[in-house]
Protein backbone atom coordinates (compact mmCIF):
# COMPACT_ATOMS: atom_id res chain seq x y z
CA UNK A 1 0.00 0.00 0.00
CA UNK A 2 1.34 3.39 -0.97
CA UNK A 3 0.74 6.25 1.49
CA UNK A 4 0.80 9.80 0.13
CA UNK A 5 0.91 11.42 3.56
CA UNK A 6 4.35 12.36 4.79
CA UNK A 7 7.46 14.15 3.56
CA UNK A 8 8.66 13.73 -0.04
CA UNK A 9 11.85 14.97 -1.74
CA UNK A 10 12.41 15.15 -5.49
CA UNK A 11 15.59 15.01 -7.58
CA UNK A 12 15.96 18.82 -7.34
CA UNK A 13 15.82 18.77 -3.50
CA UNK A 14 12.36 20.34 -3.42
CA UNK A 15 10.26 19.16 -0.47
CA UNK A 16 6.57 18.35 -0.27
CA UNK A 17 4.71 17.57 2.93
CA UNK A 18 1.27 16.01 2.63
CA UNK A 19 -1.05 15.85 5.61
CA UNK A 20 -3.22 12.82 6.26
CA UNK A 21 -5.35 11.77 3.29
CA UNK A 22 -9.03 11.98 4.28
CA UNK A 23 -11.44 9.11 3.69
CA UNK A 24 -12.79 10.91 0.58
CA UNK A 25 -9.24 11.14 -0.84
CA UNK A 26 -8.69 14.87 -0.23
CA UNK A 27 -5.42 16.15 1.21
CA UNK A 28 -3.53 19.37 1.87
CA UNK A 29 0.08 20.19 2.40
CA UNK A 30 3.02 22.45 1.69
CA UNK A 31 5.56 22.57 -1.12
CA UNK A 32 9.04 24.03 -0.74
CA UNK A 33 10.53 24.36 -4.21
CA UNK A 34 14.24 24.76 -4.83
CA UNK A 35 13.53 25.68 -8.47
CA UNK A 36 11.85 29.04 -9.16
CA UNK A 37 11.00 30.92 -12.32
CA UNK A 38 12.53 34.10 -10.95
CA UNK A 39 15.57 32.47 -9.35
CA UNK A 40 14.39 34.04 -6.09
CA UNK A 41 13.42 32.71 -2.70
CA UNK A 42 12.58 29.17 -1.79
CA UNK A 43 9.27 29.80 -0.02
CA UNK A 44 6.66 27.43 1.34
CA UNK A 45 3.58 27.30 -0.87
CA UNK A 46 0.22 25.66 -0.11
CA UNK A 47 -1.00 22.61 -2.00
CA UNK A 48 -4.39 20.92 -2.22
CA UNK A 49 -5.20 17.64 -3.86
CA UNK A 50 -7.13 14.44 -4.09
CA UNK A 51 -6.21 10.78 -4.36
CA UNK A 52 -8.21 8.22 -6.30
CA UNK A 53 -8.90 5.34 -3.94
CA UNK A 54 -7.12 2.34 -5.47
CA UNK A 55 -8.79 -0.97 -6.16
CA UNK A 56 -7.36 -4.24 -4.85
CA UNK A 57 -3.72 -4.61 -5.90
CA UNK A 58 -3.63 -1.23 -7.65
CA UNK A 59 -1.44 1.79 -6.96
CA UNK A 60 -3.25 5.09 -6.28
CA UNK A 61 -3.40 7.96 -8.76
CA UNK A 62 -3.58 11.54 -7.49
CA UNK A 63 -3.68 15.18 -8.46
CA UNK A 64 -2.75 18.37 -6.64
CA UNK A 65 -2.26 22.05 -7.31
CA UNK A 66 0.33 24.39 -5.86
CA UNK A 67 -0.23 28.13 -5.65
CA UNK A 68 3.28 29.59 -5.60
CA UNK A 69 2.66 31.87 -2.67
CA UNK A 70 4.47 35.21 -2.28
CA UNK A 71 7.08 34.88 -5.04
CA UNK A 72 5.34 34.04 -8.29
CA UNK A 73 2.06 34.75 -10.05
CA UNK A 74 1.73 31.14 -11.16
CA UNK A 75 -0.09 27.93 -10.32
CA UNK A 76 1.03 24.38 -11.09
CA UNK A 77 -1.17 21.31 -11.50
CA UNK A 78 0.43 17.90 -10.90
CA UNK A 79 -0.98 14.46 -11.77
CA UNK A 80 0.71 11.23 -10.85
CA UNK A 81 0.74 7.78 -9.40
CA UNK A 82 2.32 6.22 -6.33
CA UNK A 83 4.30 2.97 -6.58
CA UNK A 84 6.03 0.65 -4.10
CA UNK A 85 8.99 -1.43 -5.27
CA UNK A 86 9.85 -4.94 -4.05
CA UNK A 87 12.05 -3.44 -1.31
CA UNK A 88 9.15 -1.37 0.05
CA UNK A 89 10.37 2.00 -1.27
CA UNK A 90 7.53 4.36 -2.19
CA UNK A 91 7.95 6.50 -5.32
CA UNK A 92 5.69 9.20 -6.75
CA UNK A 93 5.79 9.76 -10.51
CA UNK A 94 4.24 13.00 -11.77
CA UNK A 95 3.67 15.23 -14.77
CA UNK A 96 2.91 18.91 -14.33
CA UNK A 97 1.62 22.03 -16.07
CA UNK A 98 2.62 25.46 -14.83
CA UNK A 99 0.47 28.48 -15.68
CA UNK A 100 1.89 32.00 -15.35
CA UNK A 101 -0.22 35.13 -15.49
CA UNK A 102 0.33 37.19 -18.65
CA UNK A 103 -0.76 40.73 -19.46
CA UNK A 104 -2.87 40.10 -22.54
CA UNK A 105 -4.66 37.52 -24.65
CA UNK A 106 -1.94 37.93 -27.27
CA UNK A 107 0.62 36.63 -24.74
CA UNK A 108 -1.48 33.59 -23.82
CA UNK A 109 0.63 31.31 -26.05
CA UNK A 110 3.59 31.58 -23.67
CA UNK A 111 1.75 31.29 -20.35
CA UNK A 112 1.69 27.49 -19.92
CA UNK A 113 4.77 25.28 -19.61
Amino acid sequence: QCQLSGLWRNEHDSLMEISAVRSNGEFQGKYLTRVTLSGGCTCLSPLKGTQQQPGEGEWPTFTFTVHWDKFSNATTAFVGQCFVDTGGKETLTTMWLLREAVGSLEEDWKATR
Side-chain angles (χ1 to χ4, degrees):
Q1 182 74 14
C2 197
Q3 300 295 320
L4 285 182
S5 59
L7 186 64
W8 297 89
R9 178 183 310 270
N10 72 11
E11 64 274 7
H12 301 291
D13 272 342
S14 296
L15 297 173
M16 176 176 68
E17 184 175 16
I18 296 177
S19 62
V21 178
R22 296 186 188 112
S23 60
N24 65 357
E26 293 178 356
F27 59 87
Q28 296 182 21
K30 301 172 196 161
Y31 201 103
L32 177 66
T33 184
R34 301 284 187 206
V35 180
T36 64
L37 294 173
S38 64
C41 78
T42 54
C43 302
L44 277 175
S45 297
L47 70 84
K48 291 183 181 180
T50 187
Q51 172 185 298
Q52 178 67 35
Q53 300 302 337
E56 188 67 32
E58 296 177 352
W59 305 115
T61 59
F62 57 88
T63 182
F64 63 90
T65 58
V66 178
H67 169 71
W68 302 111
D69 208 17
K70 300 180 179 74
F71 67 92
S72 176
N73 192 6
T75 300
T76 302
F78 293 80
V79 295
Q81 190 169 5
C82 188
F83 296 96
V84 181
D85 68 15
T86 55
K89 180 182 177 187
E90 296 174 321
T91 300
L92 303 182
T93 61
T94 61
M95 295 291 290
W96 55 268
L97 286 173
L98 180 138
R99 176 66 188 216
E100 290 181 85
V102 291
S104 69
L105 183 58
E106 291 75 31
E107 295 177 293
D108 184 62
W109 66 271
K110 65 179 183 177
T112 302
R113 299 170 195 235

